[in-house]
Structure formats: C-alpha cells, structure tokens
Amino acid sequence: MSYLIPRAGAVVRLPRDGHAEVSTAGWSASFDGPLADDVARIASGELSPRLEALAKSNPAAAALVSWRKHAWMPLTALDAIRLDGFDTLFLEVVGTCNERCVHCYADSSPSVEAALSRELCETIIDDAHAAGFRRIQLTGGDPLICKFLPELVERAAPLFELREIYTNGLSLDSELLDRLAPHQPGFAFSYYSCDPTIHDAITRTPGSHRRTRAAIERAVNRGLRVRAAIVVLDQNIDTVDATFAELKSIGASVSASAQKGVGRGSAFAWTPTEVAGAAGHRTAGETDGKLAVTYDGAVVPCIFNRGRVLGRLEHGKRLRDVLADLAMTSGPARDDQELSCGSCRITDLALAALGGA
C-alpha cells in the first residue's frame, strides 16, 4: 500500500515485507520491522509510543509524527494529480506562435501547425468543470491565433472562477478585445524587458515589445484582470527591476520566474515572485492539483512536465476518460527534469512512486 500526503509533500510506501519507505522532494528514509508497523498505524491516526520516542532524536520520525493529523490518501495516479483538489487546467489550444522566443518550453513558433479542434476544446472545458477544476488557462503557442477563442472563453465563463488567456498580445487588437471583454477573461502577458532591444532579441520578433506593451495597456483600460510574467534570462536580468516598475505603472500585476528547463529552455537561478490568485503555478506551499492538455492532445501533469504523458485525447477519447483511467492505473516512468513548482514536485514524486511500485 502506498499513501500520498499532499500537505506534507510526501509519499509513504508500506510493502508487505515489513519495510516502510518515506519519500519527499528533499529527503527519503526507511523504517524496518516494528517501526514499519508503527508507520502504518499513523495512516489510521494512531501514534505508537515507540515512534513518538524516536521522533525526539530522528528527523524523519519527527516528520512522520507531525503528519499524523494530515490526510493520508491511498495513492492512485488520479490522487497524484488531484492532490488537495483540482485547481488549474492548462489548455494549449494551438501550437502556433507569432514569436520565436529563445527559451520556449513548448517549442512553439510560426512553423508549428498542430492545434486542437473546437469540438475537442469544448469537451475539455466541459470535462474540466465536471471534474472540479476551479480555474482554466487558455494558452499555446499563442491562443489569440485561435479563431474560435472568443467562443471558448464564453463557454468557460460560467464554469470557472478564473478564465485566463496567456499570450504575448501581438494579436490583441480592439476588434478581438471587443469579442473577448464581455466574458471577463483575465490576461497574462509574457513580457521580458522595458528595453525594446532586449525584449525583441528574446522573442526574436522585431517590434514585439511595442505591440505587447500596447496590448497590456489596452486590456488594462478595459478594466480586465491583467498580469505580466517576466521570465528571467541572462539577457534581461539587469533590467528586471526597471521592468517591474514599468509594468506596475501601467496597471499590471507582475510576477517573475526562472527560465524553465523544458523545450528550448534551460535552468536559471532566480527567486520567483508570484502573483496571488493567478492561474497555475503559485507558492511552493500550496498543494492544489493541476493538469495540462498540450496542443497535440497529450494530457500531462503540467505544461512544464511534458515528458510524463498520462494519456492522449485521440480516437474519441475525452479528458474525462483519461481521468477515469488514472483512478485505476499507476503513473508512467519517472522524468528527470527539474520542476520549480511545489505542487508539481509532489505530483511527480507520487507518480514516480506508482511507477516503481
């Protein structure tokens, strides 16, 4: 039997051979013989005097004792994804992007043609609502390129407490904004520097800084929820503070994060700055579930964990079918990539435990 403890970010495995293993993203430990039995008793809320005494000198035992009031869930792949409850679904409606950013985790570009059909996107939205997701982020590629994006936002409007469009804003003209604004979406803009030369060098798209900044102002002026996300790279790190100030001056909230080691990205040392209440990745202490559907129909734990495919939406298979399968199956083999989000690390740890069970 394996248990997931979302609040502790831990997996406890209780094989039948009298050996218990405890794993977190930062450490692991094992307990044998009578102590393994004591660990098993914690799952039912019991604390043995022996384990309580050991906790005074053993950090792993102390951690276990501190978890006895947390929920211990018998581990399935669905539990690993859902954690303490579904929060955000990332839906990549298209793979096409009108920029060629040097660090793109999704390998999007103008030459990528893969995209999801309107019918499939609509079923994904419906299934995500039925599964209990509270937020949805429509992303890509650049979702503004999707011709039926306004219809998707309209469909999602009564179903989710937050509908967010993650975009570079290049295609956000007044006509498109007129179609989107009545459904009150939030916008998240990728923005790299207050210096146009640096910004355009990162996007590898001349004039992108001017157009993105204008789109941000346009959305702010409509009274919509607007945030800007700065990915910190070697090229823009010296302008981050000034970029924060510029974005706040035009009415956007701002977050900063490190370059991702996915797609064209690679690791970069930076302390993230989060936006409270934003869709997707927030503080490391939160244990809310995420899921992503990529523009080629793969269902993955999150947009930055693309190598761990949980299912594919093809041949009539829907998101609800993938979730039903996860309730009964173990996860795929472990992926070695770095994950910066706390709840994503918990999910990956739990799926890895299932894969090795």
Side-chain angles (χ1 to χ4, degrees):
M1 173 71 76
S2 294
Y3 289 93
L4 172 64
I5 313 169
R7 290 290 174 183
V11 172
V12 178
R13 299 178 65 183
L14 303 174
R16 297 178 180 177
D17 60 358
H19 179 73
E21 296 178 354
V22 182
S23 299
T24 73
W27 58 269
S28 61
S30 62
F31 297 83
D32 297 302
L35 282 172
D37 295 332
D38 292 344
V39 172
R41 290 170 61 185
I42 294 182
S44 58
E46 299 180 37
L47 175 60
S48 73
R50 178 172 42 224
L51 192 59
E52 186 174 23
L54 180 62
K56 296 176 181 179
S57 59
N58 184 288
L64 277 165
V65 169
S66 72
W67 301 341
R68 68 187 184 279
K69 294 183 179 180
H70 294 330
W72 288 47
M73 306 188 312
L75 179 59
T76 68
L78 183 60
D79 295 323
I81 298 297
R82 186 169 45 206
L83 298 178
D84 278 332
F86 281 133
D87 184 84
T88 302
L89 177 79
F90 300 93
L91 177 54
E92 295 181 348
V93 293
V94 296
T96 310
C97 187
N98 41 17
E99 294 182 336
R100 301 176 178 82
C101 297
V102 295
H103 61 287
C104 181
Y105 64 82
D107 279 329
S108 299
S109 74
S111 63
V112 176
E113 298 180 356
L116 303 180
S117 69
R118 176 174 175 174
E119 180 182 10
L120 180 55
C121 288
E122 289 174 346
T123 67
I124 292 168
I125 288 171
D126 293 346
D127 289 352
H129 169 65
F133 283 92
R134 299 187 299 116
R135 311 166 195 250
I136 189 168
Q137 185 186 92
L138 301 171
T139 181
D142 193 278
L144 299 185
I145 294 173
C146 176
K147 294 181 179 180
F148 49 84
L149 179 67
E151 288 75 17
L152 295 183
V153 174
E154 180 180 9
R155 192 181 192 93
L159 305 181
F160 302 92
E161 65 182 58
L162 176 65
R163 293 82 53 205
E164 185 174 76
I165 299 170
Y166 195 100
T167 176
N168 57 42
L170 300 194
S171 298
L172 190 63
D173 56 23
S174 296
E175 180 181 354
L176 179 56
L177 193 54
D178 284 341
R179 297 177 63 196
L180 292 168
H183 311 300
Q184 293 294 297
F187 280 92
F189 292 92
S190 54
Y191 196 79
Y192 301 103
S193 178
C194 57
D195 185 319
T197 300
I198 294 174
H199 181 100
D200 291 0
I202 291 172
T203 65
R204 298 190 288 190
T205 307
S208 59
H209 174 272
R210 171 182 53 80
R211 295 166 64 188
T212 297
R213 193 182 192 283
I216 293 172
E217 292 180 311
R218 197 172 291 126
V220 168
N221 290 338
R222 288 295 183 97
L224 299 173
R225 182 188 184 110
V226 177
R227 69 182 179 97
I230 306 171
V231 178
V232 182
L233 312 168
D234 289 325
Q235 297 97 313
N236 66 349
I237 189 170
D238 291 335
T239 65
V240 170
D241 290 340
T243 304
F244 257 82
E246 178 196 42
L247 289 165
K248 286 185 174 296
S249 74
I250 60 178
S253 59
V254 193
S255 64
S257 62
Q259 181 176 347
K260 305 297 181 183
V262 186
R264 293 192 293 269
S266 60
F268 189 90
W270 179 259
T271 301
T273 302
E274 307 292 348
V275 173
H281 302 82
R282 290 176 297 283
T283 62
E286 293 185 350
T287 53
D288 45 11
K290 306 177 183 69
L291 203 64
V293 180
T294 66
Y295 55 76
D296 59 0
V299 180
V300 296
C302 87
I303 52 176
F304 301 130
N305 194 357
R306 307 174 79 83
R308 193 188 284 283
V309 177
L310 303 169
R312 290 192 175 276
L313 305 185
E314 55 189 5
H315 309 305
K317 194 165 192 176
R318 294 177 51 153
L319 179 61
R320 66 187 183 191
D321 301 321
V322 173
L323 293 176
D325 290 345
L326 291 175
M328 298 179 290
T329 62
S330 61
R334 184 170 179 79
D335 192 339
D336 290 330
Q337 68 187 24
E338 294 288 333
L339 296 170
S340 60
C341 173
S343 60
C344 288
R345 288 196 298 271
I346 298 169
T347 290
D348 203 58
L349 175 72
L351 288 172
L354 280 164

